Amino acid sequence: FTFDHHITAAMMHRMLRVDHAGEYGANRIYAGQMAVLGRSRTGPLIQQMWDQEKKHLSKFNEILAENRVRPTALLPLWNLSGFVLGASTALLGKEGAMACTVAVEESISEHYNSQIRALMESDPERYTELLQVIKEFRDDEMDHHDTGLEHDAESLPGYWLLKNAIQLGCKAAIYVSQRV
Amino acid sequence: MAALLRGLRAGRLLRGLSSVVAAPTSTTLQCSSLRRGFHCAALRLKDESKSEKHSASSSYSSSAAVPPTDLTYCAFVVNYYSGFAQSDQEQDEEYETEEQLQARILTAALEFVPLHGWSMEAISAGAEAVGLSSASTGMFTNGAGDLVLHFISQCNSNLTEILAEQHNQVQLGQVEPKKTADFLRDAVETRLRMYIPYMESWPQAMSILLLPHNIPDSLKHLSTMVDDIWYYAGDRSTDMNWYTKRAVLTGLYNSTELVMLQDSSPDFQDTWTFLDNRIQDVTNMAVTAKQMQLTGEAVAQGLMGAAVTVSFQGLFFLFNHRIKLL
């Protein structure tokens, strides 16, 4: 027998809430990286990626306001921990910042992909606009991921450990932001 | 086994019918009450057929088919309504759901609240007013809680309608948009005025809402109301302001409601004055907070400037006096 793919309003609100929290966190991570590496050679590159995240965040602010979705109550927590994550990985140097970028962008892309799947399984016509937005953002995040790899993320000592630790944290953040 | 189940269901139908017939009704209402009785019996049949569809084995091909060898008037009712039992998802337009029926009874019961308070007596009186037997209060497992929650929900819908109408008028340019403080004051006043007809029994209603099993629902109604008011006041925030604004309005509303309970001034003037003063307090707090933030930023900039000046002075001093030090 088939599963019910219907997306209720509550489920939609959870999806939008966690997306908003994710873009907000990504913003703060890049802000932390810029605080440390802003005046180095990688500064302009990080600034460019940060500007794209700012656009993503403002789009989600619009979507949340339109749909009257409650933002997650943990925003102050993501504010602080995002900045701290960005700054501390940037203190490990350019490779550290790039490794953090790779880890986070991979998590976000996976997350967006599963949302795209859920929306497509449910009703692609009804959610065309939202699908378009999420696909575009997913592509941007994949670009950031690839940029991070190009700029020697993998040459960081302890890359595997750091990447997995950050991805575990991202999974926990996604889980919690959907609910709180 | 199948015959036993059919017999049980026939028995339930009979009880449904007899409860209508046995209830004291005036002759003018007898026909409509019998029809309503069939409705109720059919409702129960529909519910049972729904639940039996899920739980019964394949021995039941059509849950509505009671063979004519059973009691004939049951068969008449069942065959008459068999169409409804087969369509789970579709809703016949003239056919009323249980929720709609409950809503109708509770709305009618509100008229009897001044007489009976927020209680099962009021609900029974309401049921009789719409032509049902007072035994149909068995539908309301939460009793007086159902009545109060229904009333709250109705008040919230009314408020939303009023706010949406005002919003439309502003969009069309017919009316000037109000300032936020005025908007909030008017919204809270409009909403609280809906309690005035029931003011004497409102403390009872509030205590019912505070019962543990009613708290989740009453909080949900409160939070949707506060969210609606802020939405129509123009709030589109997506950060912690979302939470602080709603918390502030909840506090305003609850405190004003409590003042209203003990207010004996004409047209509750004291309550509205209290509301005005609290809103003024909140506005002042917001202004003060903003001023503090600006002051803090200015002070920080000043300190940074001072630090830079002092460090330059220090370097200058050292540079000039290095000859002596060396």
Side-chain angles (χ1 to χ4, degrees), chain A residues 20 61 68 70-71 73 75-76, chain B residues 227-228 231 238-240 242-243:
Chain A
H20 174 258
N61 278 336
R68 297 181 59 176
R70 169 180 70 85
L75 283 178
Chain B
D227 186 40
D228 274 341
Y231 176 74
T238 49
D239 52 6
M240 282 320 277
W242 193 95
Y243 289 92

Side-chain angles (χ1 to χ4, degrees), chain A residues 88-174:
Chain A
S88 54
T89 48
L91 284 172
L92 299 172
K94 175 190 123 183
E95 292 79 14
M98 291 299 132
C100 174
T101 303
V102 166
V104 171
E105 301 294 6
E106 199 177 298
S107 292
I108 292 189
S109 304
E110 232 178 82
H111 171 71
Y112 278 153
N113 275 333
S114 67
Q115 282 195 347
I116 292 171
R117 259 194 298 275
L119 291 172
M120 296 286 282
E121 275 167 1
S122 163
D123 194 348
E125 281 95 38
R126 186 169 164 203
Y127 301 116
T128 13
E129 210 186 294
L130 182 61
L131 268 171
Q132 207 181 351
V133 166
I134 298 185
K135 279 183 188 167
E136 190 193 317
F137 288 4
R138 191 264 326 260
D139 294 339
D140 286 343
E141 309 293 4
M142 287 307 292
D143 273 341
H144 293 176
H145 171 265
D146 297 338
T147 308
L149 283 175
E150 277 166 35
H151 285 84
D152 312 321
E154 285 165 323
S155 62
L156 177 76
Y159 169 74
W160 186 90
L161 193 63
L162 182 67
K163 177 166 178 261
N164 279 296
I166 293 176
Q167 289 191 327
L168 195 64
C170 286
K171 278 201 184 69
I174 289 173

Side-chain angles (χ1 to χ4, degrees), chain B residues 55 73 75 147 169 198 200 207 215 230 252 294:
Chain B
S55 58
Y73 46 91
L147 185 55
Q169 288 181 335
Y198 306 94
E200 282 187 9
S207 62
I215 287 182
W230 267 120
L252 267 171
L294 289 173

